[in-house]
Amino acid sequence: MSERGGVVRLVGMSELNAITKVVVIGGGYAGAVAANRLRLREDIEITLVNPRPRFVERMRLHQFVAGTGDAVIDYDTLLGAGVRLVVDSAVRIDTAARRVELGSGRALGYDYVIYAVGSTAALPASVPGAAEFAYPIAEYEHAQRLRAALAEVPAEAPIVVVGGGLTGIETAAELVEQGRTVTIVSGDRLAANFSNPARRSVAKWLAGNGVEVREQARVREVRRDGVVLADGEELPCALTIWTAGFGVPELAANSGLRTDELGRLLTDERLTSIDDDRIVAAGDAVAPSGRPLRMSCYAAQPLGAQAADAVLARIAGTEPGVLDVAFVACTLGLGSHAGVMQFSRRDDTPVSMYLGGRVAGQIKERVGLAGPIATIRKEARKPGAIPTFMGLGRRKELRPAEPERTVRL
């Protein structure tokens, strides 16, 4: 070991060890944690590949759209010394040559890859007009386009939010606080993953603030001036925001790596690709043993830490640890002053216990939103500082993610 600047780092048997090249693909919640944690060893060359020059707080994109907050942070405030940021897109992993091919035409050699490409929006081709007229919100570029469109829409004009999950609810809540007229169209029950008491709390806030909710209603068509429901009813609106479902990039499939039916990289319980032990994965686009965890920042960051630990273990010649993470709660923001915190069993099923109102809103802001950024910075200051378990769960008790809510792109 050596200690510099208060950070203990592993250097192996010799200070003269050969340099190991690790390329982290994706600079989101999982990738940023992984890149910082790899600095536990001094003999690693760490390259973080990300298509944008700044970190995007995806969980704040609804605030950015509504004009109530920002959603980007400079990487130089998040990444520790020694992490090299390459602003580019990975288009293929050449596993035979151990190279990551980039959109610019460049290529990066590697000894190990951490695959943390995340997720994106999924506009279904089966819904006419969705791709042409609906506005997704899953990525920063989507949010920029939507924010510009909102600026052109009169404040009193109706807006339809398609999707009654957490993203749709938070988007609707943020907009109605800014005086917008909003209708949520949910193909399932509102906040379907919450308990009935928590769902009632969410519905009460939305109704009390003027948000109309259409549950068990599916959109058949999106038009420039409205949406058509499956039963033929037309809902006029000036803007349609699509939050129903997420997709994953096709990088793994395009690289000849096996994926699940939705395109998530298949790994073992050590987060290692079943095709190549030089590739370790974390975040939304990984399916350990074909049983992916719920797409969430809550899972992404401990997975990022564990992916880094798996690479460190392989460099050291030891066996990586087995995935051990589960959920204990989920937070939902309702505008700037309220929220709901749903507690859950370790298998991610909700219990009847929840918190609501201002207390839950404060928890959402301080823990759910500000917390992940603090976690990344903590790893930058002291690699290895955060635990990998963050849920104290038993992997065997986790239920599979629900595939119908996720679309392969």
Side-chain angles (χ1 to χ4, degrees), residues 123-125 127-136 145 221-224 240 242:
L123 291 170
V127 178
E132 183 178 1
F133 299 119
Y135 289 81
R145 178 171 167 259
E221 181 184 356
V222 180
R223 298 173 178 172
R224 187 183 302 276
T240 300
W242 196 279

Side-chain angles (χ1 to χ4, degrees), residues 72-152:
V72 292
I73 301 175
D74 289 338
Y75 272 110
D76 59 9
T77 70
L78 298 175
L79 300 178
V83 178
R84 179 172 67 118
L85 176 66
V86 172
V87 180
D88 211 328
S89 296
V91 296
R92 181 173 174 267
I93 304 169
D94 184 340
T95 56
R98 290 187 192 164
R99 301 192 318 161
V100 176
E101 298 173 1
L102 305 179
S104 64
R106 299 172 56 197
L108 300 172
Y110 70 83
D111 295 298
Y112 292 93
V113 161
I114 293 182
Y115 186 87
V117 298
S119 58
T120 185
L123 291 170
S126 60
V127 178
E132 183 178 1
F133 299 119
Y135 289 81
I137 193 176
E139 297 190 30
Y140 187 60
E141 291 77 13
H142 299 159
Q144 287 179 309
R145 178 171 167 259
L146 175 54
R147 178 168 168 159
L150 268 173
E152 300 299 320

Side-chain angles (χ1 to χ4, degrees), residues 254-275:
N254 291 342
S255 302
L257 300 167
R258 278 180 285 179
T259 67
D260 68 2
E261 67 277 10
L262 304 173
R264 290 173 287 210
L265 181 67
L266 285 173
T267 72
D268 60 17
E269 290 295 297
R270 292 176 170 81
L271 299 180
T272 302
S273 166
I274 62 174
D275 297 310

Side-chain angles (χ1 to χ4, degrees), residues 171-184:
T171 301
E174 204 72 27
L175 291 174
V176 79
E177 269 202 343
Q178 303 308 306
R180 298 287 184 171
T181 301
V182 184
T183 297
I184 294 176

